[in-house]
């Protein structure tokens, strides 16, 4: 493919993408295929001779689309949003074309510097404390990670390194192995499974803190656990607080937890993967109170801020805490400007060495929507969730299972777990809408998340009409 054909095919692809998104609600939201469906549809080996582009695009519809779960369908209500927008797509195209691997400032100065500034822009939208803003002289700053899972792991590894060095500074006779065997990390029983997974990779003990009736962790409960563990000779070193849990969008009490972590010299990381986007709205910003006590904070603009995957924003109060844990300086990565104090090499902030020019997506989206446009998007989806909540509450066969704060509604049929399980099976088998469940207080619960940017009130009304129709049929059959 030369540049002339690329121009032609590129325009065709833009039309294909626009048509796909304009008409995605007409496709079944969930695929009707069995595991292994694709293998029989394509050859067992790659072609020896080049094939025609038109044949490939024909096969996109024949092979790929039948197996796609359409996350951007207004009838997709599972998991959490997968953000996207046309400005982000265009920026991603430019990122791919430039093709730099921005592991250091020297590898592509614009890649590093735009990222630093974009994280400052976003941090200011969130009204983060100055400690987290890089500016030109700040000690903290932001970085784009691939996922919130990766941000949690990075923070835990940095916390582990900091704890070992602190303990050895006052107890030089203690070996690293001995210290590691006693380190304990903590998180809510409602936290995402990636937090526990991070502890497995980091090789440290993880304890889950019981949540209250609203599924958030209170300071007093963590305090009691810390006192017992210290009495048992263990070393608490890390707590991951969650703002907007995956199951129910619950919030840990960070204003209580933060001072405890600071007093105990524990690293506090705040994971707000989904909910963090909403903190750009003044009415939701109080939910981030307590951030001033945190050592690191993360959320995913690629969930709810119109920036497509991957783009997970992470800030640290002191960047040396991260760099000190990951810094490696082989000669082939050194450059003459690395000690300037003005710039940073992001390879010291992450697990992989390589990185894409992802800040272009932020730059395009922030400029083309503006803060007000992004706030409007958040508020619209919260309003749609409130609309769905009101529909559920008006039907006495159902109950709401958690406070509806943002764009997630947790609900179930009254009665046994089996009723709600059967209803979910019927809903997803119909392939008209798609939901996933969670467990809250030993109850099987259906999650209804507002996900697609194209979702409107009519889609919410149609989804509820479908749910109640299936419910009536199911209950009538059982009787």
């Amino acid at each position: 493919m030369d540049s002339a054909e690329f121009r032609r095919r590129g325009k065709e692809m833009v039309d294909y993408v626009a048509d796909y998104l304009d008409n995605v609600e007409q496709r079944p939201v969930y695929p009707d295929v069995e595991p292994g469906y694709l293998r029989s549809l394509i050859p067992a080996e790659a072609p020896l001779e080049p094939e025609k582009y038109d044949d490939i695009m024909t096969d996109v519809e024949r092979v790929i689309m039948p197996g796609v779960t359409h996350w951007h369908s207004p009838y997709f209500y599972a998991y959490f949003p997968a953000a996207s927008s046309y400005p982000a797509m265009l920026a991603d195209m430019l990122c791919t074309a430039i093709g730099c691997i921005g592991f250091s400032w020297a590898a592509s100065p614009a890649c590093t510097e735009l990222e630093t500034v974009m994280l400052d822009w976003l941090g200011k939208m969130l009204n983060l404390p100055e400690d987290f803003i890089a500016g030109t002289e700040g000690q903290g700053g932001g970085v784009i990670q691939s996922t919130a899972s990766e941000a949690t792991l990075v923070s835990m590894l940095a916390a582990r390194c900091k704890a070992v060095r602190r303990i050895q500074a006052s107890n030089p006779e203690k070996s690293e192995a001995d210290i590691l065997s006693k380190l304990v990390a903590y998180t809510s029983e409602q936290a995402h499974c990636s937090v526990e997974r991070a502890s497995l990779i980091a090789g440290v003990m993880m304890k889950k803190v019981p949540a209250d009736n609203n599924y958030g962790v209170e300071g007093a409960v963590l305090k009691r656990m810390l006192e017992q563990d210290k009495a048992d000779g263990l070393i608490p070193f890390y707590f991951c607080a969650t703002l907007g849990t995956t199951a129910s969008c619950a919030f840990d009490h960070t204003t209580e937890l933060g001072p405890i972590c600071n007093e105990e010299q524990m690293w506090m990381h705040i994971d707000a993967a989904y909910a963090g986007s909403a903190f750009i709205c003044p009415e939701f910003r109080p939910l981030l109170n307590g951030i001033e006590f945190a050592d690191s904070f993360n959320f995913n603009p690629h969930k709810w801020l119109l920036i497509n995957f991957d783009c997970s924003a992470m800030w640290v109060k002191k960047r040396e805490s991260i760099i000190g844990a990951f810094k490696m300086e082989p000669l082939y990565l050194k450059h003459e400007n690395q000690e300037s104090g003005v710039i940073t090499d992001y390879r010291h902030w992450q697990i992989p060495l390589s990185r894409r020019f992802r800040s272009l997506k932020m730059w395009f989206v922030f400029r083309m929507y503006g803060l007000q446009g992004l706030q409007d998007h958040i508020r619209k989806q919260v309003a749609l969730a409130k609309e769905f909540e009101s529909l559920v509450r008006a039907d006495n066969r159902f109950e709401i299972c958690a406070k509806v704060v943002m764009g997630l509604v947790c609900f179930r049929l009254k009665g046994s777990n089996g009723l709600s399980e059967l209803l979910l099976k019927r809903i997803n088998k119909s392939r008209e809408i798609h939901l996933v469940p969670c467990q809250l207080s030993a109850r099987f619960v259906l999650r209804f998340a507002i996900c697609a940017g194209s979702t409107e009130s009519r889609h919410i009304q149609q989804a509820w009409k479908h749910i109640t129709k299936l419910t009536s049929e199911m209950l009538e059959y059982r009787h």
Side-chain angles (χ1 to χ4, degrees):
M1 181 181 289
D2 57 18
S3 62
E5 185 180 3
F6 175 71
R7 291 177 192 275
R8 180 164 61 91
R9 298 302 190 182
K11 292 170 184 175
E12 290 175 4
M13 181 59 79
V14 168
D15 286 340
Y16 180 88
V17 169
D19 287 343
Y20 167 74
L21 292 173
D22 282 347
N23 300 295
V24 67
E25 70 178 88
Q26 297 173 20
R27 297 177 183 261
V29 65
Y30 195 71
D32 185 12
V33 296
E34 296 295 329
Y37 89 95
L38 189 146
R39 185 173 290 274
S40 65
L41 299 178
I42 60 176
E45 297 178 357
L48 182 62
E49 299 294 332
E51 295 187 354
K52 295 179 180 178
Y53 180 83
D54 288 332
D55 292 340
I56 297 171
M57 287 306 298
T58 297
D59 280 349
V60 168
E61 286 294 335
R62 182 181 69 89
V63 178
I64 303 302
M65 286 301 177
V68 170
T69 300
H70 298 287
W71 282 61
H72 295 286
S73 167
Y75 296 116
F76 180 91
Y77 304 108
Y79 312 109
F80 276 132
S84 190
S85 65
Y86 291 122
M89 292 181 207
L90 292 172
D92 224 6
M93 185 185 298
L94 179 58
C95 167
T96 301
I98 293 173
C100 65
I101 310 298
F103 47 76
S104 70
W105 181 86
S108 195
C111 182
T112 292
E113 296 201 14
L114 185 64
E115 183 164 335
T116 302
V117 176
M118 287 303 99
L119 269 294
D120 277 3
W121 277 20
L122 184 53
K124 291 173 183 177
M125 290 184 206
L126 296 162
N127 196 23
L128 291 183
E130 279 294 321
D131 287 343
F132 291 95
I133 306 300
T136 56
E137 298 179 358
Q139 296 182 42
V143 59
I144 300 175
Q145 304 286 4
S146 296
T147 63
S149 304
E150 195 169 295
T152 300
L153 175 59
V154 166
S155 68
M156 190 179 293
L157 291 173
R160 187 187 72 174
C161 179
K162 185 177 180 181
V164 169
R165 290 175 180 174
R166 173 175 56 82
I167 294 166
Q168 286 186 326
S170 56
N171 300 276
E173 76 284 356
K174 286 187 177 293
S175 69
E176 182 172 339
D178 182 46
I179 296 170
L180 290 176
S181 70
K182 294 180 173 60
L183 291 181
V184 188
Y186 302 82
T187 195
S188 169
E189 62 184 4
Q190 294 291 318
H192 193 273
C193 62
S194 61
V195 183
E196 185 174 7
R197 193 180 196 191
S199 73
L200 295 175
I201 298 171
V204 295
M205 193 185 319
M206 168 67 72
K207 293 198 174 187
K208 295 184 180 180
V209 185
D212 62 18
N213 292 335
N214 291 315
Y215 307 109
V217 168
E218 297 175 332
V221 179
L222 176 64
K223 185 73 171 176
R224 286 195 295 271
M225 289 184 67
L226 298 182
E227 290 173 352
Q228 182 60 57
D229 287 345
K230 287 191 297 180
D232 292 339
L234 300 176
I235 306 171
F237 83 103
Y238 177 92
F239 177 72
C240 179
T242 304
L243 297 180
T245 58
T246 300
S248 65
C249 199
F251 295 80
D252 288 343
H253 301 266
T254 47
T255 54
E256 301 173 11
L257 297 160
I260 295 170
C261 290
N262 289 179
E263 180 184 343
E264 299 290 343
Q265 294 184 284
M266 295 170 60
W267 183 296
M268 184 167 81
H269 174 68
I270 295 179
D271 173 14
Y274 163 68
S277 295
F279 301 151
I280 66 171
C281 300
E283 63 269 32
F284 292 118
R285 177 55 178 80
L287 292 166
L288 187 55
N289 289 349
I291 181 66
E292 63 272 19
F293 301 109
D295 296 276
S296 55
F297 166 65
N298 165 256
F299 83 96
N300 292 341
H302 66 232
K303 276 191 169 66
W304 208 9
L305 215 55
L306 299 175
I307 298 168
N308 54 296
F309 187 86
D310 61 343
C311 184
S312 185
M314 178 185 184
W315 290 265
V316 291
K317 188 174 285 182
K318 293 186 181 297
R319 55 180 176 264
E320 281 302 319
S321 297
I322 293 285
I323 295 171
F326 295 100
K327 191 169 186 177
M328 293 287 183
E329 290 288 20
L331 183 60
Y332 51 81
L333 294 179
K334 289 185 177 182
H335 57 91
E336 61 184 5
N337 293 301
Q338 64 185 33
E339 303 299 337
S340 69
V342 177
I343 57 90
T344 185
D345 283 354
Y346 276 122
R347 71 180 189 272
H348 303 314
W349 295 54
Q350 61 178 23
I351 303 299
L353 173 68
S354 303
R355 57 201 341 270
R356 301 173 69 241
F357 200 167
R358 293 172 290 195
S359 56
L360 281 171
K361 296 185 287 189
M362 304 177 86
W363 196 42
F364 275 47
V365 169
F366 293 164
R367 295 181 68 182
M368 293 199 72
Y369 282 91
L371 176 57
Q372 288 185 350
L374 296 172
Q375 290 172 335
D376 289 345
H377 171 67
I378 298 293
R379 289 168 176 151
K380 174 187 174 183
Q381 296 211 322
V382 172
L384 290 172
K386 293 291 187 180
E387 179 180 349
F388 183 80
E389 178 191 14
S390 68
L391 294 171
V392 175
R393 290 192 183 279
D395 190 324
N396 61 16
R397 297 174 298 178
F398 291 88
E399 60 183 337
I400 296 292
C401 303
K403 186 178 180 181
V404 179
V405 180
M406 294 185 179
L408 175 67
V409 181
C410 293
F411 72 108
R412 70 190 295 273
L413 272 171
K414 294 176 180 177
S416 69
N417 283 338
L419 280 176
S420 292
E421 289 183 44
L422 183 57
L423 176 59
L424 181 64
K425 286 180 181 178
R426 286 174 172 255
I427 289 171
N428 287 335
K429 188 176 181 181
S430 73
R431 295 180 169 82
E432 290 194 27
I433 64 174
H434 186 46
L435 308 179
V436 293
C438 69
Q439 188 175 48
L440 296 172
S441 303
R443 296 175 299 174
F444 187 92
V445 173
L446 282 63
R447 297 171 72 262
F448 189 96
I450 310 300
C451 292
S454 59
T455 305
E456 302 287 349
S457 176
R458 65 181 177 88
H459 300 113
I460 301 299
Q461 296 289 335
Q462 178 60 33
W464 180 243
K465 181 179 179 182
H466 182 63
I467 291 169
T468 54
K469 175 176 176 289
L470 292 177
T471 299
S472 296
E473 292 174 353
M474 183 184 78
L475 296 179
E476 183 178 346
Y477 175 79
R478 288 175 64 89
H479 283 28

